[in-house]
Amino acid sequence: MLYVMRHGRTDWNDLHKLQGSTDIPLNETGRQMAQKAHDEYASVHFDVCFCSPLVRALETAQILLRDRNIPIVTDERLREMGFGSYEGIENSFDVPPIDVFFKDPAHYVAQDGAEPFEHLFARTGEFLDEKVKPLLAQQKDVLIVGHGAMNASIICQMKKLPLEQFWSGGLQNCKLLKIE
């Protein structure tokens, strides 16, 4: 079985700043969320955890899996989608072209150093083919701890969803999503 989780809250989440691939740590709320997830999902079996190398995801995975003998393997392909010069802007839901990214992803065009969807899907698709699908074929339980957009690309590919449904997974911070 494949499970996906988004990292806990950060100060930039609270300030409505676009994080992207900027390496922002969890804040105290994020750590508490990860601890709550640790307690809530203690009985869920995982054979391995793959994780973004960004500190907010890695710390979430470490808290979630504390005291469990589950390897946490970081992979650069699980980094959050890069947004170039738009990273760090506040109220990004209202700033073009980032507003299109969130409201109408099929018409989003990456600009100013932002990563295009094609690149995000290529790197996460390669990761799924190389690391995850062989383990799922062996009936292993795989957890991916990552980010909103990166996780959405995983969900879209596993469920064969079109780009128009990119945000249909509705990943909340520190909530476990089982992909069947």
Side-chain angles (χ1 to χ4, degrees):
M1 188 63 57
L2 177 60
Y3 299 88
V4 177
M5 179 178 284
R6 183 177 174 213
H7 62 79
R9 303 265 320 161
T10 70
D11 286 342
W12 279 26
N13 286 135
D14 292 344
L15 295 170
H16 305 286
K17 285 188 174 187
L18 185 62
Q19 293 177 108
S21 60
T22 303
D23 205 3
I24 305 299
L26 294 178
N27 60 20
E28 193 52 40
T29 300
R31 288 182 193 94
Q32 290 172 3
M33 293 173 88
Q35 181 59 49
K36 182 178 177 192
H38 169 275
D39 299 342
E40 183 176 349
Y41 303 119
S43 64
V44 179
H45 179 265
F46 306 113
D47 291 295
V48 64
C49 171
F50 291 107
C51 185
S52 163
L54 298 179
V55 68
R56 61 190 182 267
L58 184 56
E59 187 177 3
T60 299
Q62 291 168 338
I63 294 169
L64 174 71
L65 299 175
R66 185 176 45 244
D67 302 325
R68 295 176 71 174
N69 190 22
I70 300 168
I72 299 172
V73 180
T74 60
D75 193 297
E76 284 293 324
R77 295 171 291 186
L78 298 179
R79 293 177 73 84
E80 178 58 304
M81 188 172 185
F83 294 100
S85 64
Y86 295 97
E87 292 188 13
I89 62 170
E90 292 187 19
N91 301 313
S92 57
F93 287 105
D94 300 322
V95 177
I98 303 303
D99 60 338
V100 175
F101 173 76
F102 288 109
K103 297 172 186 169
D104 187 12
H107 291 99
Y108 172 71
V109 177
Q111 300 175 30
D112 299 321
E115 180 179 15
F117 272 120
E118 294 79 17
H119 184 260
L120 174 68
F121 276 81
R123 67 178 164 91
T124 56
E126 177 185 82
F127 171 80
L128 287 169
D129 289 343
E130 288 181 11
K131 302 290 185 176
V132 174
K133 290 178 181 177
L135 292 172
L136 295 177
Q138 297 172 33
Q139 303 297 308
K140 300 292 184 183
D141 294 316
V142 177
L143 169 64
I144 296 173
V145 178
H147 311 275
M150 186 283 298
N151 283 349
S153 74
I154 297 279
I155 294 165
C156 282
Q157 290 176 79
M158 292 300 294
K159 292 186 171 188
K160 299 182 182 359
L161 298 174
L163 196 53
E164 290 82 4
Q165 295 179 31
F166 187 72
W167 295 111
S168 65
L171 282 173
Q172 298 176 19
N173 297 95
C174 290
K175 292 295 179 186
L176 195 63
L177 177 68
K178 182 162 68 168
I179 300 176
E180 300 187 53

